Amino acid sequence: MISGSKIEHWRRWLVAALCLCASSAWAFDLPELMGLLARQKNGEARFTEQRFVRGLEGPLDASGTLSFQAPDRLTRRTLTPRPETMAVDGNTLTLSRGGRTRTLTLDSMPELLGMVEAMRSTLNGNTQTLQRYFRSTLTGSADKWALDLVPIDEKLAAQVRSLRLTGKGGEVLGIEMEFIGGDRSVMVVTPVRGAS
């Protein structure tokens, strides 16, 4: 006959084991997040950004719009403090400011390619490309998540310490970048509803 204390011990063990299994089975993971993000084939958003630069008092403020069209078109239009546009289409980056335009290939600047892929791969839900350039850690739930990215590429890691993308469901709502040397950027993203 099994004693009452042994039954109680086994009952507690079984409850603990079931809790561990249930929590790991329901944990929000990177494939789930990427699946949510991949559903949005295009989108538009407004942004406000504060750049904190060592040696300068107070942040540098900027605002404008962002747009994405799967699989590889990404555009940032800064409206203030001065108009400028950065557009990526495939491997081509086009910069426009003050009536002048410059075009170059991302292949020629691997560190810039890594930064573009941080955004483009996340918005595209492309885990494989994202993990080619970054180690990733996801925390939170589908309702409020944070994706921390640390560069693997040496050239990118020599400039960027880390990136943090935050969001809800399939939407990116914030982007923070910390650069080597102490500078950092904090961007708040407000999706334009009905744009996708």
Side-chain angles (χ1 to χ4, degrees):
M1 184 172 167
I2 301 174
S3 69
S5 64
K6 285 221 183 241
I7 290 173
E8 181 62 21
H9 170 77
W10 282 107
R11 186 184 68 76
R12 286 183 184 163
W13 181 85
L14 183 59
V15 167
L18 287 172
C19 287
L20 284 173
C21 290
S23 67
S24 63
W26 295 102
F28 186 59
D29 60 10
L30 189 60
E32 187 176 352
L33 172 62
M34 291 307 212
L36 290 172
L37 291 162
R39 290 181 193 164
Q40 306 255 6
K41 297 302 179 192
N42 58 63
E44 293 180 22
R46 290 184 297 277
F47 75 86
T48 57
E49 180 183 32
Q50 290 189 310
R51 293 182 188 176
F52 299 88
V53 179
R54 283 184 59 181
L56 293 180
E57 277 190 46
L60 301 172
D61 296 327
S63 65
T65 63
L66 301 168
S67 64
F68 173 72
Q69 186 176 13
D72 57 8
R73 295 181 76 187
L74 184 63
T75 304
R76 173 187 162 131
R77 286 186 179 87
T78 302
L79 302 174
T80 62
R82 64 177 178 263
E84 60 184 31
T85 301
M86 180 187 83
V88 177
D89 190 353
N91 189 42
T92 303
L93 171 68
T94 305
L95 302 168
S96 302
R97 179 171 44 184
R100 293 175 20 174
T101 299
R102 181 176 178 206
T103 301
L104 51 105
T105 62
L106 291 173
D107 287 346
S108 67
M109 302 181 73
E111 62 280 4
L112 186 56
L113 176 61
M115 293 292 290
V116 167
E117 288 302 355
M119 280 303 302
R120 195 162 57 182
S121 297
T122 300
L123 292 172
N124 230 357
N126 187 333
T127 308
Q128 185 176 5
T129 300
L130 184 68
Q131 292 184 331
R132 185 183 316 152
Y133 294 96
F134 298 93
R135 282 192 321 273
S136 59
T137 305
L138 178 64
T139 55
S141 66
D143 288 333
K144 186 178 181 183
W145 52 263
L147 178 61
D148 292 304
L149 303 174
V150 176
I152 295 171
D153 178 80
E154 287 182 20
K155 290 182 179 179
L156 182 56
Q159 296 183 20
V160 178
R161 186 178 310 281
S162 64
L163 287 90
R164 169 173 269 212
L165 289 84
T166 54
K168 178 178 180 177
E171 295 180 326
V172 175
L173 302 176
I175 305 165
E176 296 181 33
M177 292 184 275
E178 186 178 340
F179 299 92
I180 300 299
D183 294 356
R184 64 189 183 94
S185 166
V186 179
M187 182 185 291
V188 175
V189 179
T190 306
V192 175
R193 303 292 176 208
S196 55

